[in-house]
Amino acid sequence: MTVADPGMAGDPAITVSDLTVEYPSHGASASCVALHGVDLRVERGEVIGLMGESGSGKSTLARVLSGQAFTGRSGDVAPQITGGDATVLGHAIRRIRTRGLRRLTFSVGLLEQDAAERLEPTLTVADNIAAPIYSRDRRYSSTAAGSRVAAMLDAVQLPLSVMTKYPFEISSGQRQRVALAQTLVLGPSILIADEPTAGIDVTVRAAVIELIGELKRLGEFTAILISHDLSVLRRLSDRVAVLHQGSLVGLGPLQSVLESPQHPYVATLAAALHTEPIAIVEPPVQRPPGH
């Protein structure tokens, strides 16, 4: 299943213009400005790595750009755009209507940081992965859905034997891969992933990186990857963006951003990472189809 891209082919996939986002007061909690005047342009086929400390606004930006911040998930305080705007695949987010929001969330896959723990515990792995398909079309062929689920399990290197298991019967790393398969099952035009390799062992982490890299090589696959994992950012990102206290304080190729920091926080970040080499790793040799 491949999503039809509603935006014009020559337009950027994402344009963020002077975006300010605020969480309104809720109960005893005061209002909080999560993003301050952020500007960012993501071209079609580009992968942006998003870095920053906890509370810097990374996850808020991810949820706003995916449209998930406005879908009314139970228990969440919905953020409000109080300045500027963001346009994703031709959809202006600030005044988006229900139909446009539905199309947007169909076109943008969001893997949240706690996605593995949000899997429905009463559904099997196969049913969890297929859930986005049936949420769009309840009459979708069960045979076709099963084939799609099997293909996604293969892509994230999980055996077909897990299809009939429940989330609590598999490891946390396996649940993370199921969540990634669920996010990609509709073939989104854009992937926004919050720590996609969290909780995954080193061997499988390389496979997940390779999967996302293969999606990038196959076509105009656009992604924003939130990660503290330099191996992910080196392999996959064309540029990185650094957020600090809701503001964009660094933008450019990973090596350039870390070697020539333009903000004290980026300098501190670069110093903390100084023990690791920051040269970009060459991509692996592509395997022949079917291997």
Side-chain angles (χ1 to χ4, degrees):
M1 297 177 67
T2 302
V3 177
D5 198 341
M8 298 298 291
D11 294 337
I14 298 171
T15 303
V16 180
S17 304
D18 197 25
L19 181 67
T20 296
V21 176
E22 180 176 345
Y23 287 91
S25 58
H26 179 72
S29 300
S31 62
C32 170
V33 178
L35 295 170
H36 305 262
V38 173
D39 290 300
L40 181 64
R41 179 184 173 108
V42 183
E43 303 295 341
R44 291 170 187 266
E46 185 177 25
V47 175
I48 294 287
L50 192 56
M51 305 172 70
E53 61 195 337
S54 178
S56 63
K58 304 186 305 295
S59 296
T60 295
L61 182 61
R63 296 195 65 228
V64 167
L65 295 180
S66 69
Q68 295 293 340
F70 313 109
T71 56
R73 193 171 68 182
S74 177
D76 284 353
V77 178
Q80 297 176 353
I81 297 176
T82 56
D85 205 349
T87 301
V88 181
L89 298 175
H91 296 283
I93 302 296
R94 189 168 186 175
R95 295 179 177 84
I96 196 167
R97 297 181 181 274
T98 301
R99 180 176 296 181
L101 183 61
R102 181 175 175 81
R103 291 182 64 191
L104 176 66
T105 56
F106 188 26
S107 303
V108 181
L110 174 65
L111 179 71
E112 297 192 81
Q113 191 169 5
D114 61 350
E117 306 310 315
R118 288 183 178 271
L119 295 173
E120 175 52 56
T122 63
L123 296 180
T124 63
V125 164
D127 288 339
N128 265 288
I129 295 174
I133 297 175
Y134 290 113
S135 71
R136 301 295 172 177
D137 183 358
R138 294 187 179 278
R139 295 179 294 181
Y140 193 81
S141 163
S142 59
T143 300
S147 296
R148 182 66 178 169
V149 167
M152 295 311 305
L153 284 172
D154 182 64
V156 298
Q157 295 201 355
L158 282 173
L160 295 182
S161 59
V162 305
M163 291 179 72
T164 58
K165 295 184 180 295
Y166 291 88
F168 68 87
E169 296 180 304
I170 60 178
S171 70
S172 59
Q174 289 175 320
R175 288 195 295 272
Q176 178 74 358
R177 283 180 277 166
V178 170
L180 178 59
Q182 183 188 65
T183 302
L184 294 173
V185 73
L186 291 177
S189 299
I190 297 175
L191 170 67
I192 301 177
D194 195 343
E195 298 292 353
T197 57
I200 297 178
D201 65 55
V202 174
T203 303
V204 178
R205 180 175 61 187
V208 171
I209 293 172
E210 183 176 348
L211 167 62
I212 298 174
E214 184 65 18
L215 290 170
K216 181 182 177 183
R217 288 191 293 270
L218 288 176
E220 286 194 348
F221 177 76
T222 306
I224 294 178
L225 305 178
I226 301 172
S227 184
H228 293 94
D229 188 335
L230 282 187
S231 65
V232 172
L233 299 179
R234 289 186 187 120
R235 276 281 304 276
L236 299 175
S237 64
D238 299 298
R239 295 183 295 156
V240 297
V242 184
L243 285 175
H244 176 62
Q245 296 181 354
S247 297
L248 187 66
V249 297
L251 179 64
L254 175 63
Q255 185 168 336
S256 298
V257 168
L258 294 182
E259 288 186 348
S260 303
Q262 302 297 309
H263 185 276
Y265 172 72
V266 183
T268 301
L269 179 64
L273 299 172
H274 184 67
T275 56
E276 298 188 48
I278 60 175
I280 304 301
V281 176
E282 291 296 323
V285 176
Q286 295 190 34
R287 298 175 298 173
H291 290 75

